[in-house]
């Protein structure tokens, strides 16, 4: 079986390794860097930057631990170099893994010729195979307003290549990317204003959880305006002015740079998807539950299919696609998908929000604050809580939402539990190690099932 994979990001490269493990002869075509947006312009570099912010925040509170620090300087070049070093190391690692699995990696831009052939534009080489997986990802979306093409308007790629730290930024959009950049930039000394169109930041997440983040970000000095409708950007003598409407009135805010974070769009450019009759909807490739397009033998995975644009989802989709291409019958399931935000405190969430759960079932909600957790006290991070939502009839857990220290690592127990239809009793009775932050998850489960120990 020969499989050609277009795109070496988190949708493509794990699929290549999976297919090779299953015995396929695999060719992977990548026009830029192995590891894609996640490793090079997304998850990994932004988390490297946020780790710098975490170090600063720890230092600011070092006296609590009896360590007196006399000020600090941020070397922005060093921050950016470390970010690059981490990405490069991981990207090189991907290359080695692919080589070890005998995956042929072609550096070039692929276009579909027919359902069995892909052409490399730069060399004209034609690669024949039995199945093709398209995993070409997404690029930052743009809102069509006057001034968006101005010299100081940056997207997430541009922010990650900045040579110096701006004194002030306005971030358009109050979603995941916005909050992570805001947290980093504000911690290293930039004045940050967020303008979000909807009534809440990160609108798709549980509102109780995001309102805690909203308050913490504001308390740290970030200015946040929700229900803010950006109308125009003007650029004059190095100063940018953003005009926005709010509750019927017009306002302006000035800044050195403007960052646009209003979502991402699938990257269909140059693939010749239309030429082959591959169905698309709103600019994304349409796939069935086997990740196959309407053209038999052509599969698609990741951001190119729209849907949930998360690295871990793209990996699951890519592996599902190649398993099916190899003759297994595997359906993609989105029943239990975690999402994480790496602000300080972190947010992690899986399953239904309280509002969504209440629409489909009679629910109970258990909340356990980190101020009641011993380990949180030890590490001096007592902000936030764990919120567990269950349905009343069988006690099945429908959603878990955490805001607090290491939330993104702790959500995995909820992911595993919910994928096995865990009940509140099962969570409450599972012995958790002490002292750990994860006890807060257990205690939130106990609140739903007879009461917890460390809260009244
Ligand atoms: P997003 O969809 O998370 O947020 C965009 C925000 O912009 C929304 O809140 C939206 O209401 C707002 N918006 C849209 N038009 C606007 C306008 N004209 N004025 C003001 N606000 C406006 O998109 P984001 O943050 O750009 O992230 C893109 C993708 O990358 C998402 O799918 C996200 O899940 C993913 N991502 C995931 C991360 C993680 O897992 N930690 C980190 C970064 C990105």
């Amino acid at each position: 079986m020969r499989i050609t994979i277009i795109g070496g990001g988190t949708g493509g490269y794990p699929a290549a390794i999976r297919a090779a493990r299953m015995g396929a002869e695999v060719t992977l075509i990548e026009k830029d860097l192995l590891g894609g947006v996640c490793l090079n312009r997304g998850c990994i570099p932004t988390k490297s930057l946020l780790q710098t912010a975490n170090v600063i925040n720890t230092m600011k509170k070092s006296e609590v631990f009896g360590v007196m620090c006399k000020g600090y300087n941020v070397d922005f070049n060093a921050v950016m170099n470390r970010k690059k070093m981490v990405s490069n190391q991981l990207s090189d690692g991907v290359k080695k893994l692919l080589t070890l699995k005998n995956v042929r990696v072609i550096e070039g831009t692929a276009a579909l010729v027919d359902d069995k052939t892909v052409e490399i534009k730069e060399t004209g080489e034609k690669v024949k195979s039995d199945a093709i997986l398209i995993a070409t990802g997404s690029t930052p979306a743009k809102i069509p307003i006057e001034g968006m093409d101005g010299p100081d308007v940056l997207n997430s790629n541009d922010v990650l290549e900045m040579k110096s730290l701006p004194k002030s930024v306005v971030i358009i959009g109050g979603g995941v990317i916005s909050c992570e950049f805001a947290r980093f930039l504000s911690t290293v000394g930039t004045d940050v204003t967020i303008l979000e169109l909807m009534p809440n930041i990160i609108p798709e997440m549980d509102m109780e959880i995001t309102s805690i983040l909203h308050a913490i970000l504001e308390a740290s000095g970030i200015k946040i305006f929700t229900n803010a409708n950006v109308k125009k950007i003007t650029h004059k003598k190095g100063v940018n002015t953003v005009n926005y409407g709010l509750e019927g009135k017009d306002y302006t805010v000035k800044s050195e740079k403007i960052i646009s974070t209003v979502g991402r769009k699938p990257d269909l450019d140059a693939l010749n998807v239309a030429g082959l009759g591959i169905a698309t909807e709103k600019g994304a490739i349409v796939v069935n539950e086997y990740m196959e397009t309407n053209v038999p033998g052509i599969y698609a995975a990741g951001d190119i299919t729209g849907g949930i644009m998360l690295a871990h989802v793209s990996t699951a989709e890519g592996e599902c696609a190649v398993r099916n291409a190899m003759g297994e019958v595997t359906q993609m399931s989105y029943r239990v998908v975690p999402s994480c935000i790496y602000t300080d405190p972190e947010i992690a969430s899986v399953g239904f929000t309280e509002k969504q759960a209440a629409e489909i079932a009679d629910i109970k909600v258990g909340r356990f604050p980190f101020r009641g957790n011993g380990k949180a006290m030890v590490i001096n991070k007592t902000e936030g809580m764990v919120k567990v939502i269950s349905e009343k009839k069988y006690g099945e857990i429908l959603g878990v939402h955490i805001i607090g220290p290491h939330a993104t690592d702790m959500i995995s127990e909820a992911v595993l539990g919910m994928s096995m239809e865990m009940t509140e009793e099962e969570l409450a009775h599972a012995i958790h190690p002490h002292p750990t932050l994860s006890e807060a998850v257990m205690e939130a489960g106990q609140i739903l099932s007879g009461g917890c120990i460390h809260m009244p």
Side-chain angles (χ1 to χ4, degrees), residues 203-279:
E204 72 283 3
M205 280 213 157
D206 189 276
M207 213 198 295
E208 186 179 5
I209 297 288
T210 53
S211 63
I212 296 173
L213 181 69
H214 187 129
I216 291 171
L217 293 181
E218 275 192 335
S220 76
I222 297 167
K223 293 173 274 290
I224 304 175
F225 298 94
T226 53
N227 293 311
N229 182 13
V230 176
K231 295 181 173 171
K232 194 169 82 170
I233 298 166
T234 43
H235 174 86
K236 218 174 188 180
K237 291 185 186 161
V239 178
N240 299 285
T241 306
V242 181
N243 291 62
Y244 64 98
L246 180 63
E247 290 164 1
K249 288 189 184 159
D250 284 340
Y251 296 88
T252 57
V253 51
K254 291 187 188 315
S255 65
E256 187 182 328
K257 299 281 180 201
I258 291 153
I259 303 175
S260 167
T261 61
V262 293
R264 298 182 62 90
K265 62 176 178 50
D267 193 0
L268 280 172
D269 282 359
L271 271 175
N272 187 27
V273 159
L276 256 75
I278 296 174

Side-chain angles (χ1 to χ4, degrees), residues 166-189:
K167 284 198 170 49
S168 56
V169 297
V170 169
I171 307 183
I172 303 176
V176 187
I177 296 184
S178 165
C179 289
E180 291 186 350
F181 277 148
R183 188 64 177 157
F184 166 68
L185 289 168
S186 163
T187 307
V188 291

Side-chain angles (χ1 to χ4, degrees), residues 287-363:
V287 287
N288 61 19
E289 61 271 43
Y290 307 103
M291 303 311 298
E292 194 170 16
T293 68
N294 60 319
V295 178
I298 299 189
Y299 296 79
D303 289 6
I304 193 75
T305 62
I308 309 173
M309 290 189 174
L310 293 173
H312 43 278
V313 172
S314 73
T315 299
E317 290 175 340
E319 289 199 49
C320 174
V322 294
R323 283 183 189 282
N324 288 316
M326 291 297 287
E328 274 186 20
V329 180
T330 307
Q331 287 189 12
M332 187 59 211
S333 165
Y334 300 96
R335 196 175 68 80
V336 184
V337 175
S339 48
C340 298
I341 307 171
Y342 295 78
T343 42
D344 180 12
E346 295 182 346
I347 292 182
S349 158
V350 59
F352 292 114
T353 62
E354 184 177 344
K355 187 166 178 276
Q356 291 166 337
E359 280 164 12
I360 57 155
D362 277 341
I363 59 164

